[in-house]
Amino acid sequence: MRQVAVLGATGSIGRSTLDVIQRHPNRYRATVMAAHRSVDDMEALCRTHRPLHAVMGDPQAASVLAERLADVPSVAVSSGAEILDDLVADAAVDTVVAGIVGFAGLRPTLSAARAGKIILLANKEALVSAGGLFMEAVRTGGATLLPVDSEHNAMQQCLPVDLEGRPNMSDVEKIILTASGGPFRGRSRASLDAVTPEEACAHPNWSMGRKISVDSATLANKGLELAEACWLFDRRPEQIEIVVHPQSIVHSMIRYRDGSTLAQLGQPDMRTPIAYCLAWPERVDAGVAPLDIVAAARLDFEAPDLEAFPCLALAQWAITQPGGMCVFSAANEVAVAAFLAGDIRFTDIDKVIAGTLQGIDLVEPESLDAVQALDQAARDVADKQIAGCFTRPEA
Ligand code: NAD
Ligand code: MG
């Protein structure tokens, strides 16, 4: 029986993970579940999955949850970063699903790496902000790192891997990272000024949390994924080609030196990569409908439009700078939250990121403290950009 800690249990990744776990009650059990403050959702999930521990990021939410679950004494409710660090490192957990959104997911994921757990990584922001530190923790802790992000999962599936899940890159010429292009593919930058959060979150192919949905719409997500692929597969950015593929059926490709290109195809449903990682090196049913290739009929590919979507170009520059992606990711988080709150326009997101990258001394953070300090400094600069430079869009 695999004991799984599901971090971000109430989110899109968390729910997809719990759905796969529920299909295989003799193989997997969610023993730890963590979320931020959505008490109603967490209560319902705890009643269904009966974890040993439920951890809320928000202390107030934890006390409400504890009251609500008074009739289920087997679930211990708690709150706090230290408690979560200890729980994911505990011997009672062997697999950790990193499904918290944003920089907040870094600490528990690092703790899992140091403790040598099997890590199913969805939280790309943690890797992007602290890549060197995180990969070092995976190596020294003896952790197994399996990418859940659909593109990186596709890459992993198209590569020879050793018994620890480490890919062998020796004959690889290029990684081809596919992008859906998001809901605004084909539109001009000028036409994007007035788009609403609802429009930005209406992804044509995937159902995801709001932050990553906006990232998909700006193509910032592909910038984060470029950095993610560099860390996971030990590549330089120029060894990775980004191609827009609007159908989201080919999830990425690996081109080998002999001219062969391998691709992984599937429905745009995160339960497939999650099930792959949970069961690896075996395969289990994920509850996903089989891909009907005749019905899909067409697979289109085109170059990304960097003029309409400058976030990707900004990421391609930031990735070459020391600490650049830590700053990019922090500024992006702040800007996306402001856009979702109605405080800035969609087209202000890249301006906030660009202003933050310009307004900060870029240095390579060598420790967790340094990463946290650089992240916070970037957030402060990004907040100033938002407060000083932009006015609230018309309602
Ligand atoms: P979501 O918004 O649906 O869920 C986020 C989860 O994180 C929630 O459970 C929330 O309670 C929890 N959380 C947020 N802040 C927290 C905190 N401070 N402490 C504890 N928990 C906290 O997001 P999502 O779409 O599931 O995405 C999660 C991560 O997975 C992101 O990093 C995203 O980039 C990545 N990812 C998601 C998808 C997808 O299809 N949704 C695909 C690839 C990668
Ligand atoms: Mg992805």
Side-chain angles (χ1 to χ4, degrees):
M1 178 70 86
R2 285 268 288 277
Q3 318 237 58
V4 186
V6 184
L7 312 185
T10 56
S12 163
I13 290 291
R15 286 174 180 282
S16 291
T17 303
L18 291 168
D19 181 277
V20 177
I21 287 177
Q22 209 167 12
R23 288 168 195 276
H24 304 282
N26 299 324
R27 290 181 78 120
Y28 312 112
R29 174 159 185 225
T31 49
V32 175
M33 295 185 355
H36 191 34
R37 56 174 145 230
S38 29
V39 172
D40 293 347
D41 290 347
M42 194 63 158
E43 182 192 352
L45 290 174
C46 285
R47 289 190 185 281
T48 306
H49 295 276
R50 304 286 168 130
L52 301 176
H53 297 274
V55 187
M56 301 302 281
D58 180 54
Q60 202 129 23
S63 43
V64 177
L65 183 67
E67 273 170 39
R68 298 254 198 103
L69 290 174
D71 62 321
V72 194
S74 64
V75 183
V77 179
S78 58
S79 174
E82 293 79 18
I83 289 179
L84 191 55
D85 284 354
D86 291 347
L87 283 174
V88 299
D90 194 87
V93 163
D94 41 54
T95 300
V96 177
V97 179
I100 292 176
V101 61
F103 191 77
L106 174 60
R107 251 188 84 160
T109 313
L110 254 184
S111 174
R114 289 176 177 143
K117 303 299 178 183
I118 302 169
I119 302 173
L120 276 55
L121 186 75
N123 176 226
K124 64 193 90 183
E125 296 94 338
L127 180 58
V128 164
S129 295
L133 213 68
F134 182 71
M135 295 306 286
E136 182 60 23
V138 167
R139 268 188 300 274
T140 54
T144 300
L145 184 58
L146 298 170
V148 167
D149 206 352
S150 59
E151 296 78 1
H152 307 75
N153 185 265
M155 296 166 196
Q156 179 91 4
Q157 294 202 40
C158 294
L159 287 162
V161 295
D162 69 13
L163 293 174
E164 268 72 54
R166 281 182 303 245
N168 177 344
M169 304 301 294
S170 55
D171 297 317
V172 172
E173 195 175 81
K174 200 138 217 171
I175 291 179
I176 299 159
L177 169 61
T178 55
S180 69
F184 305 136
R185 186 181 61 88
R187 288 182 53 171
S188 70
R189 179 160 169 85
S191 78
L192 297 175
D193 254 350
V195 298
T196 64
E198 271 51 50
E199 290 172 299
C201 289
H203 197 281
N205 307 330
W206 297 93
S207 156
M208 309 182 284
R210 283 167 80 76
K211 193 262 176 182
I212 184 176
S213 295
V214 177
D215 288 349
S216 287
T218 61
L219 293 199
N221 184 50
K222 223 36 67 175
L224 296 172
E225 291 186 351
L226 174 64
E228 183 183 12
C230 286
W231 285 116
L232 288 171
F233 302 107
D234 193 20
R235 298 286 95 175
R236 296 186 307 277
E238 61 273 19
Q239 294 173 302
I240 299 171
E241 183 181 339
I242 298 173
V243 175
V244 172
H245 164 48
Q247 290 90 0
S248 298
I249 286 174
V250 174
H251 297 306
S252 277
M253 298 177 252
I254 301 287
R255 187 194 302 153
Y256 288 90
R257 67 166 94 212
D258 63 359
S260 293
T261 299
L262 302 194
Q264 185 259 354
L265 282 68
Q267 301 276 14
D269 187 322
M270 290 307 292
R271 289 176 301 174
T272 294
I274 290 166
Y276 171 87
C277 294
L278 276 174
W280 181 81
E282 296 171 33
R283 300 262 181 180
V284 292
D285 170 36
V288 177
L291 176 64
D292 182 343
I293 200 75
V294 174
R298 286 190 60 148
L299 303 175
D300 294 307
F301 300 93
E302 63 194 42
D305 181 350
L306 299 182
E307 254 167 66
F309 303 102
C311 285
L312 179 53
L314 285 167
Q316 285 172 323
W317 178 80
I319 201 172
T320 65
Q321 306 299 309
M325 285 308 289
C326 180
V327 172
F328 175 95
S329 185
N332 181 55
E333 264 194 55
V334 171
V336 170
F339 168 66
L340 287 172
D343 291 336
I344 63 171
R345 291 172 205 278
F346 183 77
T347 46
D348 290 331
I349 296 173
D350 56 81
K351 293 182 194 158
V352 172
I353 298 171
T356 307
L357 283 165
Q358 273 163 13
I360 212 162
D361 290 331
L362 291 172
V363 283
E364 192 61 49
E366 307 281 358
S367 64
L368 180 58
D369 285 348
V371 170
Q372 281 166 335
L374 186 60
D375 171 83
Q376 190 54 54
R379 281 166 199 271
D380 293 345
V381 177
D383 278 336
K384 285 200 190 98
Q385 307 275 327
I386 286 165
C389 306
F390 308 111
T391 48
R392 208 181 170 90
E394 301 296 317

